[in-house]
Amino acid sequence: MHIHKRTFGDWVLDIFVYGFMIVLGLITLLPVIYVFSKSVSSDWALVSGRVNLLPVGFQIDTLVNVVTSHAFSRAFVISVIVTSVGTLLSILVTAITAYPLSKRHLPGISFIMVMFIFTMLFNGGLIPNYLLIRELHLINSLWSLILPAMISVFNMLVIKSYYEGLPEALEESARIDGARSYTILFRIILPLSMPVLATIALFYAVGFWNDYFSPMLYINDPALKTLQLHLRDVVMENDTANAINKSADDLMNMSPESIRAATVVASTVPILLVYPFLQKYFIKGVLIGSVKG
Amino acid sequence: MMKTMNKWIALPAAVSLMLLSACGSNGEGAGNAEKSASAPSTQSPSASEAAKPELKALMRLGPNFEKDPIAAMLEEKTGYKVNYEALPVDKPEDKLNLLIASSEPYDIVSTGGDSSSKAIYADYAKKGALVDLTPLIEKYGKNIKASLSAETLEMAKVDGKIYAIPTRSIESVGTSLMIRKDWLDKLGLQVPTTLDELTAVLKAFKEKDPGGNGAKNIPMAIKGDVPMVDNIVGAFGIVNDWNEVDGKLVPRAMNPSFKDYLSYMSDLYKQGLLDQEFAINKDATVKEKFTNGKAGVIVLHWADIPQIDDALKKNFPDAAYAYIPALASKDGQAGLAQSSGFDRLTFVPKSSKHPEDAIKWIDAKLDPDTFKNMAIGLEGTHHTFKDGNYYPILPIFNDERGSASNYLTGIDEKNYPIYWQARVRKDERLYKGWEALNKQQKPEAFKKNPLGLAPYLPDYSKEDAQLGQMVNDYAVKVIVGAEQLAGFDAFTDQYKKAGGQTSYDEINAWYATVKK
């Protein structure tokens, strides 16, 4: 399909580009491999720093113990619940909100739009948010992680502009056939918008899964810890800045390096497995809205 | 990512504002707490006995409190059901400030016992965020008074009132120099006991290379952020950050002995006896160098011995190691740092709904039998008793009492140090290391941190971290030769101006009252 013959310059450029991308890829890949190797290496090898890229003294016990441990599995289940419930509700509410806002002819619609945009630019800040959650009695409730994050205005705008790109004639013909607004939304618009909804659902899911800050603020009950919170506790345990204040008991109870690595691996793998299957939607998602502002 | 970072920076500042405003409204909250505190006492004791409320406790570290056998045992013995929550491991003080400022109704809150925790505690107490425990201890604290020494309670006072039940830390030596015994044997040398002998041994390690490392041979490795080497500092009389000199407490930077120490260390560095890359060594790097047979001497805490032992024996099956005893200088000076002070502080916030029951619960936990059960379990089940010592029964001891230290809210100060040894005996190697540092040394070598039991000292608390960093940086620079020792007096002046002098005055004003 080449339009013109490849010149020497093209070859040089290709080599340079490929080389650069391979280096970039390795830079991001190597730390992941390193942590994985640590999680399946023996402790003596870790203490004496013999693990570089390949596992030394291969063992799978640590990984198995971490995954089957009560604290990890409970945090994992909590994170799965928050992510699935949160994503479902978020995508539903966001899709429904975006629909009327895509109808420019509705009275007062621009005012309502301004109100949404306003929340994108300004918010009450951390303490007022905390007080609000507390007054709503949502502290130590998983809803505190879901409700405040349910509508992202940015995601809503992406869906809205997708709706606006759908041909007006579709709706008109449905209306002629006697469909009401709800039927049009659920039977015609939403099925047609699957690509954008899948992308936004992914944005939400990744957001809920990776959220560390909200659970750190709002969750005190150890039984409701999310995976990210648990991970942070495990990883920070050995932080040297804290080590000075540690008593001999704390030092004796400290978990070995391989447990930390195994926890990191075990909490990364699920989302890692999901990515390859959903990546095509991500790429489409970037295109959405790029044509029509 | 950026968003999170900004939030982190904003959090402490915003919380301190909030704390101020919360305390304004706390006036009435305080009144309520006192009212509710006095109300139950008018009831008949049997009535309050019958209905023990569920308590809400915020503990320092967060293992699994639910389903924990200790929690179940305590619930049965004290009659109180307790809901345990825990602060995050990362930045616990920020979260604590947030919870206290928003008057979360905790009945028991435990924090660390270091100087920054003491500062937070004193701050809460002064702002009226805590319940005055003095009358409650008087009324319900039979076991508390029997277990905690008067000295301990005195140290917890803020403006003459007790706001916290302190847990004293176990007084023990943690770190010292660990040496490759098999290297010594190979060269026909003895474990050094004086500074001069240490220098000689290091020289022999360098010249004769018993590990066969060639160019990678390291006689002694230390951490880059800890240029004050435990045990060696003892020979110079500067064991702790602050040491007594002629009845006054003097920080290292204002102590002429510090200059001698630096000159000794920089000399070691110049001769190649000290790891040439020590400035970038982390804890893990030092352990790597030791377990890979590259380093002959390192600084090590006895709690780290099992992992070091595993790795070293795997790499060198014939390797042997030993702690170097407190090294004496020419005039016989020697010392090992002994931890002293508070392990944690437990207080009752004003927002507590059951301050009386909180104290009753703490008191019930200090009942001699319950306390012993909590610390080391039951004789025959969790431990055995032989010749005045407690020995753990494994693995049940680890499974059911392994996290006992997380439950402490005050200790039986006479017996706990003995009970606690059962914890060290869970691994023979741990006990050997602990014993070498704590039992086989001359008692006069133990130098307690004189500031461990100091009350909250505002200037010192504020400047301590910054000044400590300054001294460490200077020490590293001198040792590697980037800075000349001739400038020591200028450094002392700089230290004084940076807040060292105010800390010195403040600490010695307090120290004078203790010395009397």
Side-chain angles (χ1 to χ4, degrees):
Chain A
M1 294 291 286
H2 291 298
I3 294 169
H4 66 95
K5 234 176 154 245
R6 294 177 66 83
T7 63
F8 176 71
D10 287 339
W11 284 108
V12 171
L13 187 71
D14 272 7
I15 289 166
F16 179 76
V17 167
Y18 275 92
F20 183 73
M21 291 319 262
I22 288 170
V23 168
L24 214 61
L26 284 179
I27 287 174
T28 48
L29 186 64
L30 291 183
V32 178
I33 295 177
Y34 176 57
V35 172
F36 179 76
S37 294
K38 267 163 82 174
S39 73
V40 292
S41 292
S42 296
D43 268 318
W44 64 265
L46 288 174
V47 171
S48 43
R50 304 215 160 175
V51 181
N52 291 319
L53 272 187
L54 293 176
V56 178
F58 183 83
Q59 53 87 25
I60 197 93
D61 293 356
T62 318
L63 211 51
V64 172
N65 283 339
V66 163
V67 173
T68 52
S69 77
H70 184 59
F72 179 86
S73 49
R74 188 179 51 191
F76 188 85
V77 169
I78 297 281
S79 271
V80 168
I81 292 175
V82 170
T83 304
S84 45
V85 174
T87 309
L88 257 170
L89 288 176
S90 297
I91 197 69
L92 187 70
V93 172
T94 311
I96 293 176
T97 312
Y99 184 58
L101 290 174
S102 68
K103 304 284 167 237
R104 296 222 170 126
H105 58 83
L106 289 178
I109 209 74
S110 54
F111 175 70
I112 295 174
M113 266 314 290
V114 168
M115 281 173 54
F116 270 103
I117 304 284
F118 186 82
T119 66
M120 256 177 112
L121 305 174
F122 307 98
N123 65 58
L126 183 65
I127 301 292
N129 267 339
Y130 180 82
L131 291 176
L132 174 68
I133 298 291
R134 190 166 66 96
E135 293 305 312
L136 291 171
H137 299 286
L138 288 180
I139 297 286
N140 273 341
S141 154
L142 293 184
W143 289 113
S144 66
L145 312 181
I146 296 172
L147 292 180
M150 218 146 79
I151 288 196
S152 141
V153 176
F154 177 78
N155 289 347
M156 195 270 288
L157 290 180
V158 172
I159 297 184
K160 181 182 94 82
S161 64
Y162 189 90
Y163 289 164
E164 283 168 355
L166 294 173
E168 195 74 14
L170 268 175
E171 280 191 44
E172 283 165 8
S173 68
R175 217 171 280 280
I176 289 165
D177 288 343
R180 310 273 295 272
S181 297
Y182 282 108
T183 322
I184 294 174
L185 175 62
F186 285 105
R187 307 279 296 270
I188 300 196
I189 303 292
L190 291 190
L192 281 173
S193 310
M194 268 320 178
V196 72
L197 294 183
T199 309
I200 299 298
L202 261 173
F203 286 166
Y204 276 126
V206 172
F208 279 117
W209 183 266
N210 286 341
D211 189 14
Y212 161 72
F213 202 73
S214 318
M216 195 277 300
L217 278 180
Y218 305 136
I219 301 293
N220 306 319
D221 187 346
L224 292 177
K225 272 190 181 172
T226 63
L227 194 54
Q228 306 305 329
L229 212 51
H230 173 70
L231 187 61
R232 185 80 169 176
D233 278 358
V234 172
V235 173
M236 290 302 293
E237 187 191 39
N238 194 24
D239 192 41
T240 37
N242 298 338
I244 309 154
N245 301 330
K246 283 208 163 86
S247 70
D249 276 305
D250 296 341
L251 285 170
M252 277 193 285
N253 286 337
M254 210 142 78
S255 47
E257 182 68 29
S258 59
I259 292 202
R260 275 186 291 283
T263 312
V264 173
V265 168
S267 49
T268 320
V269 162
I271 210 93
L272 215 63
L273 289 182
V274 174
Y275 262 98
F277 299 104
L278 301 175
Q279 209 183 13
K280 54 181 176 189
Y281 291 111
F282 264 113
I283 294 164
K284 270 189 197 162
V286 179
L287 287 174
I288 293 164
S290 59
V291 181
K292 191 172 196 278
Chain B
M1 194 56 202
M2 271 311 290
K3 212 170 166 189
T4 326
M5 289 292 291
N6 288 334
K7 279 179 181 173
W8 270 123
I9 296 159
L11 189 56
V15 163
S16 55
L17 278 175
M18 195 168 148
L19 198 59
L20 280 174
S21 63
C23 290
S25 64
N26 242 350
E28 46 188 312
N32 286 343
E34 267 153 35
K35 251 178 261 159
S36 64
S38 56
S41 60
T42 54
Q43 292 172 357
S44 63
S46 59
S48 59
E49 203 57 21
K52 285 182 173 171
E54 199 173 301
L55 298 176
K56 228 178 135 189
L58 185 66
M59 305 307 270
R60 195 169 70 98
L61 284 173
N64 279 325
F65 284 110
E66 52 152 11
K67 286 190 189 163
D68 193 298
I70 304 176
M73 186 279 292
L74 285 177
E75 185 176 334
E76 186 204 320
K77 299 281 180 197
T78 65
Y80 284 103
K81 179 160 177 34
V82 181
N83 237 322
Y84 296 98
E85 293 181 356
L87 290 167
V89 178
D90 186 25
K91 299 189 199 288
E93 57 284 343
D94 287 349
K95 180 83 188 250
L96 180 67
N97 277 336
L98 190 65
L99 292 172
I100 294 291
S102 62
S103 303
E104 286 296 318
Y106 288 107
D107 300 303
I108 297 113
V109 176
S110 278
T111 67
D114 55 310
S115 96
S116 74
S117 299
K118 274 194 257 182
I120 291 174
Y121 159 65
D123 186 42
Y124 289 167
K126 281 186 206 284
K127 282 178 178 160
L130 305 181
V131 174
D132 175 13
L133 302 179
T134 327
L136 296 175
I137 293 174
E138 205 49 54
K139 207 162 167 186
Y140 305 107
K142 181 168 65 79
N143 295 321
I144 296 177
K145 280 189 284 183
S147 304
L148 273 65
S149 65
E151 184 196 22
T152 306
L153 286 173
E154 188 61 36
M155 294 304 171
K157 279 184 178 170
V158 175
D159 297 335
K161 288 175 180 165
I162 303 170
Y163 290 97
I165 307 285
T167 302
R168 283 284 283 267
S169 43
I170 303 276
E171 292 184 346
S172 71
V173 177
T175 48
S176 179
L177 294 171
M178 183 66 95
I179 192 167
R180 279 290 290 275
K181 185 77 173 45
D182 54 325
W183 284 20
L184 284 173
D185 293 343
K186 210 170 178 180
L187 301 178
L189 294 165
Q190 294 295 310
V191 176
T193 54
T194 67
L195 210 52
D196 291 341
E197 284 174 25
L198 176 74
T199 321
V201 163
L202 292 177
K203 268 195 189 130
F205 278 4
K206 181 176 161 61
E207 282 154 16
K208 307 207 173 115
D209 190 12
N213 291 316
K216 285 183 176 166
N217 188 31
I218 301 165
M220 178 162 75
I222 61 173
K223 285 193 267 183
D225 55 348
V226 190
M228 314 298 171
V229 181
D230 282 307
N231 197 343
I232 296 182
V233 285
F236 292 89
I238 47 169
V239 178
N240 293 297
D241 291 346
W242 293 70
N243 301 281
E244 195 183 293
V245 179
D246 303 328
K248 295 249 180 195
L249 286 183
V250 180
R252 282 176 178 143
M254 290 163 67
N255 194 332
S257 306
F258 184 44
K259 195 174 170 181
D260 301 336
Y261 170 76
L262 289 177
S263 113
Y264 174 77
M265 291 301 286
S266 63
D267 203 40
L268 286 188
Y269 186 82
K270 247 180 261 160
Q271 297 182 51
L273 304 181
L274 185 63
D275 187 356
Q276 299 296 300
E277 294 167 356
F278 89 89
I280 52 167
N281 277 357
K282 290 182 173 165
D283 186 49
T285 341
V286 174
K287 286 175 183 163
E288 272 170 30
K289 287 177 176 168
F290 190 70
T291 51
N292 277 320
K294 301 278 180 276
V297 180
I298 61 164
V299 183
L300 195 72
H301 193 285
W302 54 260
D304 289 333
I305 290 180
Q307 50 158 298
I308 291 291
D309 182 77
D310 283 344
L312 187 64
K313 292 276 166 67
K314 187 88 189 173
N315 296 335
F316 303 95
D318 297 329
Y321 51 84
Y323 268 128
I324 296 178
L327 294 165
S329 66
K330 284 201 179 68
D331 43 11
Q333 203 169 27
L336 293 169
Q338 190 181 41
S339 62
S340 164
F342 298 137
D343 180 41
R344 63 196 71 203
L345 294 164
T346 306
F347 47 77
V348 180
K350 271 277 163 64
S351 49
S352 161
K353 294 198 175 91
H354 319 284
E356 290 199 330
D357 291 289
I359 289 300
K360 282 186 196 164
W361 179 70
I362 290 173
D363 192 68
K365 281 171 74 187
L366 285 168
D367 167 80
D369 287 339
T370 311
F371 182 76
K372 188 173 176 185
N373 192 340
M374 173 172 83
I376 52 171
L378 297 168
E379 189 172 347
T381 310
H382 302 99
H383 67 262
T384 52
F385 183 68
K386 210 166 60 198
D387 309 327
N389 288 316
Y390 297 92
Y391 294 85
I393 298 175
L394 299 173
I396 188 170
F397 183 85
N398 285 343
D399 293 342
E400 299 199 346
R401 291 295 179 272
S403 59
S405 61
N406 293 311
Y407 287 86
L408 297 178
T409 51
I411 53 167
D412 178 341
E413 287 174 13
K414 211 163 61 241
N415 289 316
Y416 186 66
I418 303 164
Y419 295 161
W420 176 79
Q421 289 177 26
R423 212 162 283 288
V424 184
R425 287 179 207 266
K426 67 186 178 187
D427 189 323
E428 189 56 31
R429 296 168 296 180
L430 278 178
Y431 185 75
K432 273 204 182 127
W434 180 84
E435 190 187 32
L437 292 183
N438 291 281
K439 295 266 180 180
Q440 296 166 354
Q441 303 290 326
K442 293 186 199 99
E444 61 266 25
F446 298 142
K447 308 276 193 234
K448 269 185 221 172
N449 178 7
L451 291 177
L453 288 175
Y456 164 60
L457 302 160
D459 288 327
Y460 163 70
S461 293
K462 200 172 72 196
E463 305 290 356
D464 181 40
Q466 179 246 120
L467 288 174
Q469 190 64 48
M470 182 174 157
V471 176
N472 273 357
D473 290 350
Y474 177 72
V476 172
K477 275 188 202 153
V478 171
I479 294 172
V480 301
E483 188 124 16
Q484 295 309 309
L485 256 186
F488 185 78
D489 293 339
F491 171 71
T492 304
D493 283 343
Q494 194 194 341
Y495 176 88
K496 282 181 181 167
K497 280 194 197 108
Q501 187 66 42
T502 25
S503 298
Y504 176 83
D505 294 342
E506 181 186 52
I507 283 174
N508 281 294
W510 158 76
Y511 199 59
T513 64
V514 190
K515 287 297 275 183
K516 261 180 239 164

